[in-house]
Amino acid sequence: MFLAIIQRLWQMLFVMFGISVLVFLIFFATPGADPASRIAGRGASAEILEAVRKSFGLDQPIYVQYFTMMKKIFITGDLTSFVNRGWKVVPAVLDTIPVTISLVMGAAILWVVFSMIIGTVAAATKDSWLDRSLMILGLIGISMPVFWLGEVMNLVTQSRFHDTWMFSWVPPLGYKNFIDGPKAWFLTLVIPWITLAILYIGLYGRVLRANLIEAMQEDYVRTARAKGLSETRILLRHALRTSLISFVTLFGLDFGALVGGSALLTEVVFNLHGIGKLTYDALLNLDLPIIMTTVIFASFFVVMANAVVDVLYIILDPRVRKA
Amino acid sequence: MLEVKDLKVSFRSEQGLMRAIDGVSFNVGEGEILGMVGESGSGKTVSLLAVMGLINDPNAVIEGSIKFKGRELVGMSNAEMRKLRGREIAMIFQDPMTALTPVYTIGWQIAEQILAHEKISKSAARQKAIDLLAEVNIPNPADAIDRYPHQLSGGMRQRAVIAMALSCNPSLLVADEPTTALDVTVQAQILDLVRKLQRNHKSAVVFITHDMGVIAEIADRVMVMYGGRIVERGQRNELFLKPKHPYTKALLDSIPPLEGEKPKRLRAISGSPPSLLNRPTGCCFGPRCVFRFEACSVQPDLGKSGHAAACFLKGAQ
Ligand SMILES: Nc1ncnc2c1ncn2[C@@H]1O[C@H](COP(=O)(O)OP(=O)(O)O)[C@@H](O)[C@H]1O
Ligand SMILES: [Mg+2]
């Protein structure tokens, strides 16, 4: 067990190293992609380009540039933006992490709980009107684009019905720190959580229903019936328990991707300065240090999420445990 | 103890009603081993799933009567049925590789069944599970109880399944080809075990197989199924020595002899089993029978009692 964890950590470092090199090469060593000309602007003279190269260290060999950048990210922490010189990148990225984590964690709790309820109820009442309506609702949830849903939510809760009893509790857009007051933190995030979770509730609910129905055809379910167990127990303790294994796989992928920046649209719509929004802004003006840093942090979270999934696997599925 | 009368099971399908079981009647007495034999698709599994109330297909239509200790099982509510299942009637399935839930230890699964039917503590249920594993000759039962199904061999898993089936001392044990998925040496051990346990627990056993050799080893009485009907029934010795139905004879011819020269090829029965959609109007074995004559265009009855065959041939009745 201990060995397995050490092994995982090694793998994680290796993956992060690989990703950082790859991204670095994409942005700094792709033929035609000269960072200096971007910084200097269109039509800059050769002398200016040369000066920019010197000043940003772009005249160094590529591996020196890579190590300098890594040193500035991880050791000295004083990497600065290309666009906004003097703006320290690492603290900026670190500041976004609690925002993104708060958003994604809360949404994940919502979507796991509700999709489990919906999937299980639908599977238990297979082909009834309840099952059909839940599945149609799920489909609607999946098909609503998150930015559109977010805008509608804002329209309803921030302007149209904000002054009614229903939504007067909704604070203005933006993130509030947890330590400054858990209640404000919670209230600002409720609507974003729901918005982000709806897609996944629909998706996971449908997937879980299909998995459960398949599991209910398995031989071991027939054995469980022959034992005289109740249908509820068979569904929850046997079918649901085995279906959780594929549920967790899916969850790991989505959770990792969201923490790594795919919650971008939700962050933009609700004006939450998370890692997705920071990356997005950096991409708009090709601010390479920020892109590099966010990518490295994002990959760290993706790899972390996968490591957590692997641990969950070991807990859930005895077949992957070593004897 | 178990009386099945004129059981019919059909499945609605797009092409029409498929009759899988077409009027089957049989009794099982206390403590006897009834062997049920027939080629695959002859309706052995379906008829016993009907007894267990485990045909979960919404398109299934079950007619006839199944009485267990005087209580009618056809149409019994699911809640009532559940109290019988696992406690009074237990079932062992064909494939031990898939019959157990992969994520729980075998001890947990055995205890689960005990706790579903008996009011005892968890630790008592666990102790009982260990005793049961010892009874089915699993080495180191106290250690094996915490193993997951995938950690055991096929034979050991089938033993665990048998231990689970016996955990509430059922008066009827239904075994659906419990040895088919196992290799020959393990098969023999499992047969010995079933016989021993049947004596110790005084349960009646219905033992399904497609292998006449297995029937010869284990059954007191034999029922030969063909195309959803019983074509011959009788005491094992009578049936093996003086088979009456051409189908039974053909099955017996298909056992490889234990001694002497092996025939170059085993005799297979030519033709294929009847389609469930368009059953022949007469004897269902008719189309494949070498002795077929005019009378066979009417469906023959199975004699009421004793050694009997559903056939018009002289000496069959
Ligand atoms: N749920 C079902 N729907 C339709 N046909 C079925 C179903 N279950 C079994 N059958 C049919 O019933 C017949 C008898 O099957 P079965 O009892 O499993 O045979 P055996 O156990 O003797 O090999 C087969 O032809 C099979 O195709
Ligand atoms: Mg079968």
Side-chain angles (χ1 to χ4, degrees):
Chain A
M1 189 71 194
F2 183 69
L3 214 73
I5 290 172
I6 296 285
Q7 205 180 354
R8 266 307 322 173
L9 284 174
W10 260 116
Q11 273 174 15
M12 194 163 99
L13 283 180
F14 188 77
V15 169
M16 284 174 59
F17 174 72
I19 292 174
S20 65
V21 168
L22 201 69
V23 174
F24 187 83
L25 289 180
I26 288 172
F27 285 107
F28 286 80
T30 315
D34 180 9
S37 68
R38 286 211 203 95
I39 298 166
R42 234 173 239 264
S45 66
E47 294 93 76
I48 294 183
L49 273 181
E50 204 46 49
V52 164
R53 274 207 190 95
K54 260 224 157 62
S55 137
F56 285 86
L58 297 169
D59 52 348
Q60 311 269 345
I62 189 88
Y63 64 89
V64 176
Q65 289 186 42
Y66 174 80
F67 283 112
T68 314
M69 188 168 261
M70 289 304 122
K71 194 185 88 191
K72 283 181 169 175
I73 292 175
F74 287 106
I75 298 167
T76 51
D78 59 355
L79 186 67
T80 53
S81 158
F82 277 1
V83 176
N84 194 350
R85 290 207 89 180
W87 186 35
K88 288 250 173 52
V89 170
V90 177
V93 172
L94 288 178
D95 278 349
T96 65
I97 290 172
V99 183
T100 298
I101 299 257
S102 302
L103 172 67
V104 177
M105 277 284 220
I109 291 171
L110 277 186
W111 99 58
V112 166
V113 169
F114 282 95
S115 66
M116 287 239 257
I117 295 174
I118 287 178
T120 312
V121 168
T125 60
K126 183 176 161 240
D127 295 332
S128 70
W129 62 266
L130 182 60
D131 171 30
R132 294 223 174 91
S133 358
L134 285 175
M135 286 307 104
I136 290 172
L137 280 179
L139 203 57
I140 295 174
I142 295 170
S143 9
M144 278 190 300
V146 74
F147 57 89
W148 177 84
L149 179 66
E151 291 295 359
V152 172
M153 287 285 211
N154 278 341
L155 190 71
V156 171
T157 62
Q158 297 288 346
S159 57
R160 289 292 157 78
F161 297 96
H162 185 72
D163 297 328
T164 66
W165 56 270
M166 269 187 298
F167 297 115
S168 54
W169 57 268
V170 182
L173 295 183
Y175 179 76
K176 302 233 169 42
N177 277 322
F178 183 80
I179 28 173
D180 299 342
K183 189 165 175 243
W185 171 83
F186 185 85
L187 290 181
T188 46
L189 284 168
V190 170
I191 301 290
W193 282 337
I194 295 174
T195 308
L196 182 57
I198 279 181
L199 160 71
Y200 294 97
I201 293 176
L203 194 66
Y204 281 55
R206 289 177 70 94
V207 168
L208 184 63
R209 172 189 181 272
N211 280 342
L212 280 175
I213 287 173
E214 200 182 304
M216 289 302 274
Q217 305 297 322
E218 295 282 348
D219 274 2
Y220 59 77
V221 165
R222 192 165 69 168
T223 307
R225 289 207 172 99
K227 284 160 82 172
L229 307 179
S230 72
E231 279 298 302
T232 319
R233 189 179 170 94
I234 294 171
L235 186 70
L236 298 181
R237 297 306 291 267
H238 292 262
L240 181 62
R241 177 64 179 70
T242 44
S243 301
L244 282 185
I245 296 167
S246 48
F247 190 89
V248 161
T249 311
L250 202 58
F251 180 80
L253 291 175
D254 285 331
F255 186 82
L258 283 175
V259 175
S262 327
L264 160 74
L265 293 173
T266 318
E267 290 176 359
V268 171
V269 173
F270 293 105
N271 196 24
L272 301 168
H273 291 269
I275 198 160
K277 185 157 173 13
L278 184 68
T279 315
Y280 175 73
D281 292 341
L283 278 170
L284 283 186
N285 43 35
L286 283 166
D287 199 346
L288 297 175
I290 296 195
I291 296 174
M292 274 303 288
T293 317
T294 54
V295 162
I296 286 172
F297 277 89
S299 64
F300 170 76
F301 281 110
V302 172
V303 176
M304 275 297 275
N306 280 317
V308 170
V309 166
D310 283 353
V311 173
L312 281 179
Y313 258 157
I314 293 174
I315 296 170
L316 283 175
D317 191 349
R319 285 166 296 185
V320 304
R321 274 173 237 166
K322 294 251 167 60
Chain B
M1 181 178 53
L2 180 73
E3 288 171 62
V4 176
K5 266 213 195 77
D6 203 23
L7 177 70
K8 291 186 177 129
V9 181
S10 321
F11 296 100
R12 283 186 286 259
S13 76
E14 275 162 24
Q15 296 95 349
L17 208 59
M18 301 201 308
R19 177 147 288 171
I21 305 294
D22 188 27
V24 160
S25 307
F26 61 92
N27 294 333
V28 184
E30 306 263 343
E32 78 166 334
I33 303 188
L34 173 66
M36 199 188 235
V37 67
E39 59 197 320
S40 71
S42 56
K44 307 178 299 287
T45 301
V46 169
S47 55
L48 288 174
L49 285 179
V51 170
M52 294 290 290
L54 283 180
I55 300 187
N56 262 63
D57 194 322
N59 291 314
V61 185
I62 302 172
E63 294 159 281
S65 151
I66 301 170
K67 281 216 170 85
F68 177 75
K69 294 187 169 170
R71 296 169 71 192
E72 179 59 59
L73 302 188
V74 175
M76 184 185 258
S77 78
N78 213 349
E80 288 282 297
M81 198 70 217
R82 215 156 49 222
K83 286 188 203 141
L84 289 181
R85 247 187 254 144
R87 193 177 64 180
E88 290 279 351
I89 315 176
M91 188 156 184
I92 304 170
F93 296 100
Q94 179 167 344
D95 190 356
M97 296 322 227
T98 55
L100 292 163
T101 308
V103 297
Y104 295 120
T105 62
I106 54 172
W108 188 95
Q109 302 192 46
I110 296 174
E112 182 187 36
Q113 171 158 1
I114 300 172
L115 292 168
H117 297 290
E118 287 170 26
K119 284 201 171 57
I120 61 173
S121 71
K122 278 199 178 149
S123 57
R126 184 181 159 88
Q127 188 52 49
K128 202 169 166 189
I130 296 178
D131 296 343
L132 283 160
L133 291 182
E135 204 187 341
V136 295
N137 302 334
I138 289 186
N140 290 328
D143 175 49
I145 190 166
D146 291 322
R147 305 219 159 251
Y148 290 92
H150 72 277
Q151 295 171 322
L152 302 175
S153 68
M156 286 301 147
R157 275 194 228 189
Q158 196 62 299
R159 284 166 198 267
V161 171
I162 293 172
M164 188 159 78
L166 291 173
S167 60
C168 298
N169 265 311
S171 32
L172 176 65
L173 178 66
V174 176
D176 186 359
E177 311 213 22
T179 57
T180 307
L182 306 173
D183 50 38
V184 188
T185 44
V186 182
Q187 237 180 52
Q189 293 167 2
I190 297 283
L191 286 181
D192 279 343
L193 181 67
V194 170
R195 245 194 323 248
K196 181 190 110 189
L197 294 172
Q198 185 264 341
R199 249 178 274 131
N200 294 352
H201 289 252
K202 300 187 178 60
S203 312
V205 177
V206 180
F207 197 102
I208 300 185
T209 175
H210 58 251
D211 184 345
M212 271 296 197
V214 170
I215 290 287
E217 292 250 341
I218 198 156
D220 299 324
R221 276 197 311 130
V222 184
M223 218 166 88
V224 183
M225 298 274 296
Y226 181 81
R229 308 184 114 248
I230 299 173
V231 292
E232 182 162 0
R233 122 169 74 67
Q235 297 295 324
R236 176 188 57 185
N237 291 350
E238 289 176 324
L239 191 128
F240 271 80
L241 294 174
K242 293 201 204 74
K244 291 180 172 180
H245 198 282
Y247 179 63
T248 315
K249 286 180 191 151
L251 279 181
L252 287 171
D253 282 344
S254 67
I255 316 180
L258 284 176
E259 282 139 34
E261 204 185 327
K262 301 230 154 122
K264 286 229 174 57
R265 272 187 64 198
L266 289 173
R267 278 189 32 212
I269 309 170
S270 60
S272 54
S275 125
L276 302 182
L277 279 171
N278 305 305
R279 307 183 133 271
T281 45
C283 170
C284 55
F285 188 59
R288 292 169 80 183
C289 183
V290 283
F291 304 108
R292 187 188 162 85
F293 62 118
E294 308 86 74
C296 301
S297 56
V298 184
Q299 192 161 285
D301 279 331
L302 185 68
K304 280 275 174 282
S305 57
H307 180 197
C311 183
F312 293 113
L313 282 178
K314 220 158 100 186
Q317 293 288 322

